[in-house]
Amino acid sequence: MPPGRPAPGVVRTPPMRARALGWTGQSIPIVGQGTWNMEQDDRKRAVAALQRGLDLGLSHIDTAELYGSGRVEELVAEAIGGSARRRDEIFLASKVVPSNASRDGTRQACERSLRRLRTDHLDLYMLHWPGSHPLAETIAALEALRAAGKVRFWGVSNFDVRELEAALRIAGETAIACNQVLYHLEQRSIEHRVLPFCSQHRIAVVGYSPFGSGDFPAPSSAGGRALAQVAARHGVSPRAVALSFLTRHDALFTIPKASSAGHVAENARGDVDLSAEDVDTIDGAFPRGKSGELPTL
Ligand code: NAP
């Protein structure tokens, strides 16, 4: 076999750009794959789309016990089981719903997710949003899961700065791997406070709903035209430009959801190195807006 040539049957991962997930140092692709509402899609098509994403290097899969009441985790297991990727080449993330996030409830929820995902560990486990169980209990449970090897890293989701400060007071530095928050071109609130705070504490920011949950700027709109202009400079699509913009800082990752293999292939090109001029063009078309509370869906 000539050097550099993949062996038959071996999938060569294209160089999707990767970076360290905050203080963890774990390198993961800047563009991953979301799975919310996938239980509503054609199952075979959705499984094939996730597998295509894995082949293209989108090895960070984001799911949650909430999605389809566990059915999406089962679908993800099917995709991973039938993929050419080994489990240790995939960065698998799931979340506990706040109503389950008591000390013992978190442990039990994690066990259920592991069973549905047919794996013995999660790479990342998050509290889906702040809830009513004392945060100290949830964090104690997450730390216990980490110590037991069921979870490699843990994080939070939909936390504003005040909630992150509270979590840091309990857990200390280098404990919270990420904060998963709403972030797309028309919703850039995190750039005011959450992103700088997370960067300062080396907490990765995983942006969700990068395409506005299916509400992407129309090509005929001013924003759509600005994206097309930048896209033409790089020979990629407007959506690839959007993903590149949303991951332009070291702390940022994104997790578009796609149940179509074609969409996944397009998203896999979302790691373009944008110039200062490109960023200015997009900034002009999609202003950051006023600082405010952390938005959620
Ligand atoms: P999204 O990724 O912003 O948008 C998904 C929609 O965009 C789907 O309709 C998808 O269509 C379409 N799409 C994807 N790629 C496309 C392409 N290249 N061309 C045309 N259309 C394309 O929406 P999201 O699901 O809200 O967010 C992404 C993920 O973030 C979720 O799936 C979930 O994992 C996570 N999330 C987390 C939270 C939280 O509270 N932590 C909240 C919301 C979302 P097809 O499916 O037909 O391909």
Side-chain angles (χ1 to χ4, degrees):
M1 178 76 50
R5 177 90 53 88
V10 172
V11 180
R12 184 48 67 85
T13 306
M16 159 54 67
R17 198 188 301 179
R19 61 170 59 118
L21 185 80
W23 62 266
T24 72
Q26 168 76 48
S27 179
I28 70 165
I30 61 174
V31 181
Q33 303 192 77
T35 62
W36 186 32
N37 287 333
M38 243 182 202
E39 82 285 359
Q40 295 170 23
D41 297 327
D42 178 85
R43 187 181 181 95
K44 258 179 130 172
R45 208 164 155 263
V47 165
L50 284 171
Q51 290 172 338
R52 177 96 170 103
L54 290 174
D55 289 347
L56 292 171
L58 309 190
S59 55
H60 170 195
I61 298 184
D62 177 76
T63 190
E65 63 170 342
L66 181 74
Y67 299 168
S69 305
R71 278 179 294 149
V72 173
E73 288 182 325
E74 290 166 0
L75 186 155
V76 167
E78 190 179 327
I80 292 175
S83 108
R85 297 264 150 239
R86 295 192 317 263
R87 171 67 185 86
D88 65 359
E89 295 174 307
I90 297 167
F91 190 84
L92 183 56
S94 192
K95 316 181 195 80
V96 57
V97 288
S99 55
N100 283 339
S102 63
R103 172 131 196 183
D104 207 43
T106 302
R107 181 188 61 75
Q108 289 177 27
C110 183
E111 297 286 356
R112 288 193 297 271
S113 285
L114 291 174
R115 272 198 295 279
R116 285 190 292 260
L117 285 161
R118 287 186 250 144
T119 187
D120 61 357
H121 73 279
L122 289 168
D123 296 286
L124 177 64
Y125 197 42
M126 288 162 278
L127 174 60
H128 209 143
W129 64 89
S132 56
H133 286 291
L135 189 57
E137 271 193 41
T138 311
I139 288 178
L142 292 167
E143 281 292 354
L145 286 166
R146 186 156 77 130
K150 308 257 175 181
V151 162
R152 290 181 56 220
F153 303 111
W154 64 264
V156 295
S157 178
N158 298 304
F159 270 42
D160 63 21
V161 166
R162 192 176 45 82
E163 289 152 347
L164 287 167
E165 282 169 344
L168 280 172
R169 274 197 297 277
I170 296 164
E173 298 287 333
T174 64
I176 307 165
C178 75
N179 185 21
Q180 189 182 114
V181 286
L182 180 65
Y183 188 41
H184 57 80
L185 293 175
E186 317 244 20
Q187 185 42 269
R188 297 175 55 188
S189 302
I190 62 157
E191 292 180 27
H192 293 285
R193 295 191 65 215
V194 170
L195 178 58
F197 183 89
C198 286
S199 298
Q200 189 195 338
H201 293 276
R202 293 196 296 151
I203 297 169
V205 174
V206 179
Y208 69 70
S209 305
F211 299 143
S213 293
D215 188 16
F216 194 70
S220 56
S221 65
R225 286 196 299 275
L227 290 174
Q229 194 187 322
V230 177
R233 291 207 274 264
H234 294 276
V236 296
S237 72
R239 283 176 192 263
V241 168
L243 295 175
S244 307
F245 181 81
L246 297 170
T247 52
R248 70 199 181 286
H249 292 148
D250 280 355
L252 288 169
F253 298 83
T254 190
I255 44 170
K257 174 263 178 187
S259 285
S260 137
H263 289 169
V264 168
E266 185 179 344
N267 300 344
R269 305 213 47 205
D271 60 351
V272 170
D273 205 358
L274 297 176
S275 67
E277 186 193 352
D278 296 332
V279 170
D280 283 349
T281 304
I282 299 167
D283 258 332
F286 302 96
R288 267 201 319 175
K290 292 198 180 82
S291 181
E293 282 305 294
L294 181 67
T296 52
L297 277 176

